[in-house]
Amino acid sequence: MTQDEMKRKVAEAALEYVVKGSIVGVGTGSTANMFIDALATMKDDIRGTVASSEATAKRLAGHGIPVLDLNDALKQVASLSVYIDGADEFDTGKNLTKGGGGALTREKIVAAASDKFICIVDETKRVKHLGAFPLPIEVIPMARELVMGIAAGLGGKPVVREGFITDNGNIIIDVHGLVITDARALEDSLNSVPGVVTNGIFSHQGADVVLMGTPNGVETIH
Ligand code: 5RP
């Protein structure tokens, strides 16, 4: 089974977690795109969606799936029923690295506004410790050199993502070579640096359930 086939299987399996009549948070990336295509088959059963990026909003709208602004949605309901998204890595504690697609900040916001985070990945994303995938940090442009210096001081190799501006008008610094043994502590400490909008460690907003595609089918990790 190819990686794309495993992604498609988990994307389809995630439909089971979609609560009928509710507003669903939708992630960003190739696996999330497959979920959007699957969600189109039950678009009349949900009240609407909140998108974690402009790209996701466009794909949802292309299927005729209603997309709500998060603030408008939270005036109608106390929280979104579920957030469904991929990840670049997940560890044994269901902490995630996200932001390969650069949508980490909106992804973290929508995840925080949701009752449950269902993470859809293929088995290549499983790691013992986060850090094999370069850690993305969304940074206000003025703080670029400040954050690069702090990331280098942590033992990483920070690289500005070339030609990329986030949906929020900021830059991404990808930090290579970190071995992250305490995901929560690093998430908190990087987020306390002035100019950091957020970083791609999802420990506070880790997955509640990981659906992992393998050549033998979909494994559910609680
Ligand atoms: C985007 C993300 C994605 O979830 C992550 O990059 C995984 O993407 P894919 O499903 O294409 O492997 O965090 O910002």
mmCIF file of all heavy atoms in Angstrom, residues 170-187:
data_model
loop_
_atom_site.group_PDB
_atom_site.id
_atom_site.type_symbol
_atom_site.label_atom_id
_atom_site.label_comp_id
_atom_site.label_asym_id
_atom_site.label_seq_id
_atom_site.Cartn_x
_atom_site.Cartn_y
_atom_site.Cartn_z
ATOM 1 N N ASN A 170 2.864 36.394 8.354
ATOM 2 C CA ASN A 170 4.131 36.222 9.071
ATOM 3 C C ASN A 170 5.066 35.249 8.345
ATOM 4 O O ASN A 170 4.680 34.626 7.358
ATOM 5 C CB ASN A 170 3.854 35.712 10.491
ATOM 6 C CG ASN A 170 3.034 36.710 11.276
ATOM 7 O OD1 ASN A 170 3.364 37.897 11.312
ATOM 8 N ND2 ASN A 170 1.946 36.249 11.879
ATOM 9 N N ILE A 171 6.290 35.084 8.881
ATOM 10 C CA ILE A 171 7.253 34.134 8.305
ATOM 11 C C ILE A 171 7.265 32.853 9.133
ATOM 12 O O ILE A 171 6.743 32.812 10.259
ATOM 13 C CB ILE A 171 8.677 34.727 8.251
ATOM 14 C CG1 ILE A 171 9.185 35.089 9.660
ATOM 15 C CG2 ILE A 171 8.719 35.954 7.329
ATOM 16 C CD1 ILE A 171 10.665 35.408 9.724
ATOM 17 N N ILE A 172 7.869 31.810 8.535
ATOM 18 C CA ILE A 172 8.073 30.555 9.269
ATOM 19 C C ILE A 172 9.582 30.304 9.378
ATOM 20 O O ILE A 172 10.308 30.407 8.385
ATOM 21 C CB ILE A 172 7.439 29.345 8.532
ATOM 22 C CG1 ILE A 172 5.925 29.487 8.398
ATOM 23 C CG2 ILE A 172 7.818 28.023 9.209
ATOM 24 C CD1 ILE A 172 5.106 29.105 9.607
ATOM 25 N N ILE A 173 10.026 29.991 10.590
ATOM 26 C CA ILE A 173 11.398 29.521 10.793
ATOM 27 C C ILE A 173 11.304 28.029 11.113
ATOM 28 O O ILE A 173 10.576 27.631 12.040
ATOM 29 C CB ILE A 173 12.083 30.282 11.950
ATOM 30 C CG1 ILE A 173 12.222 31.764 11.582
ATOM 31 C CG2 ILE A 173 13.443 29.664 12.269
ATOM 32 C CD1 ILE A 173 12.722 32.649 12.713
ATOM 33 N N ASP A 174 11.982 27.195 10.312
ATOM 34 C CA ASP A 174 12.006 25.749 10.563
ATOM 35 C C ASP A 174 13.291 25.425 11.317
ATOM 36 O O ASP A 174 14.389 25.738 10.845
ATOM 37 C CB ASP A 174 11.983 24.981 9.236
ATOM 38 C CG ASP A 174 10.651 25.143 8.494
ATOM 39 O OD1 ASP A 174 9.610 24.815 9.083
ATOM 40 O OD2 ASP A 174 10.665 25.597 7.327
ATOM 41 N N VAL A 175 13.156 24.792 12.487
ATOM 42 C CA VAL A 175 14.332 24.489 13.294
ATOM 43 C C VAL A 175 14.674 23.002 13.150
ATOM 44 O O VAL A 175 13.906 22.127 13.572
ATOM 45 C CB VAL A 175 14.110 24.848 14.782
ATOM 46 C CG1 VAL A 175 15.420 24.690 15.547
ATOM 47 C CG2 VAL A 175 13.583 26.268 14.920
ATOM 48 N N HIS A 176 15.835 22.753 12.551
ATOM 49 C CA HIS A 176 16.287 21.383 12.294
ATOM 50 C C HIS A 176 17.135 20.882 13.471
ATOM 51 O O HIS A 176 17.788 21.671 14.158
ATOM 52 C CB HIS A 176 17.166 21.353 11.026
ATOM 53 C CG HIS A 176 16.435 21.766 9.786
ATOM 54 N ND1 HIS A 176 16.160 20.895 8.759
ATOM 55 C CD2 HIS A 176 15.910 22.966 9.416
ATOM 56 C CE1 HIS A 176 15.503 21.548 7.804
ATOM 57 N NE2 HIS A 176 15.338 22.806 8.184
ATOM 58 N N GLY A 177 17.120 19.566 13.650
ATOM 59 C CA GLY A 177 18.099 18.932 14.541
ATOM 60 C C GLY A 177 17.783 18.978 16.020
ATOM 61 O O GLY A 177 18.662 18.702 16.835
ATOM 62 N N LEU A 178 16.547 19.299 16.394
ATOM 63 C CA LEU A 178 16.205 19.281 17.830
ATOM 64 C C LEU A 178 15.804 17.869 18.245
ATOM 65 O O LEU A 178 15.128 17.164 17.490
ATOM 66 C CB LEU A 178 15.026 20.226 18.107
ATOM 67 C CG LEU A 178 15.245 21.729 17.912
ATOM 68 C CD1 LEU A 178 13.914 22.475 18.021
ATOM 69 C CD2 LEU A 178 16.244 22.272 18.937
ATOM 70 N N VAL A 179 16.217 17.454 19.427
ATOM 71 C CA VAL A 179 15.698 16.200 19.997
ATOM 72 C C VAL A 179 14.794 16.631 21.144
ATOM 73 O O VAL A 179 15.268 17.162 22.151
ATOM 74 C CB VAL A 179 16.827 15.290 20.518
ATOM 75 C CG1 VAL A 179 16.245 14.018 21.136
ATOM 76 C CG2 VAL A 179 17.786 14.939 19.389
ATOM 77 N N ILE A 180 13.495 16.441 20.965
ATOM 78 C CA ILE A 180 12.530 17.038 21.903
ATOM 79 C C ILE A 180 12.064 15.969 22.893
ATOM 80 O O ILE A 180 11.191 15.163 22.587
ATOM 81 C CB ILE A 180 11.353 17.653 21.114
ATOM 82 C CG1 ILE A 180 11.904 18.680 20.092
ATOM 83 C CG2 ILE A 180 10.340 18.296 22.058
ATOM 84 C CD1 ILE A 180 10.877 19.207 19.107
ATOM 85 N N THR A 181 12.662 15.985 24.072
ATOM 86 C CA THR A 181 12.287 14.974 25.074
ATOM 87 C C THR A 181 11.163 15.488 25.980
ATOM 88 O O THR A 181 10.460 14.697 26.593
ATOM 89 C CB THR A 181 13.507 14.574 25.931
ATOM 90 O OG1 THR A 181 14.121 15.768 26.390
ATOM 91 C CG2 THR A 181 14.499 13.758 25.124
ATOM 92 N N ASP A 182 11.014 16.807 26.090
ATOM 93 C CA ASP A 182 9.927 17.376 26.892
ATOM 94 C C ASP A 182 9.146 18.362 26.003
ATOM 95 O O ASP A 182 9.442 19.563 25.954
ATOM 96 C CB ASP A 182 10.496 18.078 28.129
ATOM 97 C CG ASP A 182 9.397 18.507 29.099
ATOM 98 O OD1 ASP A 182 8.220 18.597 28.679
ATOM 99 O OD2 ASP A 182 9.701 18.764 30.278
ATOM 100 N N ALA A 183 8.181 17.808 25.273
ATOM 101 C CA ALA A 183 7.448 18.594 24.275
ATOM 102 C C ALA A 183 6.726 19.775 24.924
ATOM 103 O O ALA A 183 6.739 20.892 24.406
ATOM 104 C CB ALA A 183 6.456 17.688 23.536
ATOM 105 N N ARG A 184 6.104 19.534 26.061
ATOM 106 C CA ARG A 184 5.333 20.591 26.734
ATOM 107 C C ARG A 184 6.237 21.772 27.118
ATOM 108 O O ARG A 184 5.907 22.935 26.905
ATOM 109 C CB ARG A 184 4.659 19.979 27.974
ATOM 110 C CG ARG A 184 3.892 20.909 28.884
ATOM 111 C CD ARG A 184 2.631 21.480 28.277
ATOM 112 N NE ARG A 184 1.698 20.492 27.769
ATOM 113 C CZ ARG A 184 0.623 20.031 28.403
ATOM 114 N NH1 ARG A 184 0.350 20.452 29.612
ATOM 115 N NH2 ARG A 184 -0.191 19.170 27.822
ATOM 116 N N ALA A 185 7.412 21.446 27.703
ATOM 117 C CA ALA A 185 8.320 22.508 28.159
ATOM 118 C C ALA A 185 8.841 23.320 26.974
ATOM 119 O O ALA A 185 8.913 24.560 27.049
ATOM 120 C CB ALA A 185 9.489 21.897 28.933
ATOM 121 N N LEU A 186 9.163 22.656 25.879
ATOM 122 C CA LEU A 186 9.693 23.404 24.724
ATOM 123 C C LEU A 186 8.589 24.238 24.068
ATOM 124 O O LEU A 186 8.817 25.383 23.671
ATOM 125 C CB LEU A 186 10.335 22.450 23.705
ATOM 126 C CG LEU A 186 11.021 23.168 22.537
ATOM 127 C CD1 LEU A 186 12.167 24.074 23.016
ATOM 128 C CD2 LEU A 186 11.554 22.170 21.505
ATOM 129 N N GLU A 187 7.380 23.658 23.987
ATOM 130 C CA GLU A 187 6.267 24.436 23.419
ATOM 131 C C GLU A 187 6.080 25.725 24.227
ATOM 132 O O GLU A 187 6.006 26.823 23.660
ATOM 133 C CB GLU A 187 4.963 23.623 23.419
ATOM 134 C CG GLU A 187 3.788 24.429 22.871
ATOM 135 C CD GLU A 187 2.457 23.683 22.805
ATOM 136 O OE1 GLU A 187 2.333 22.581 23.377
ATOM 137 O OE2 GLU A 187 1.532 24.208 22.163
#
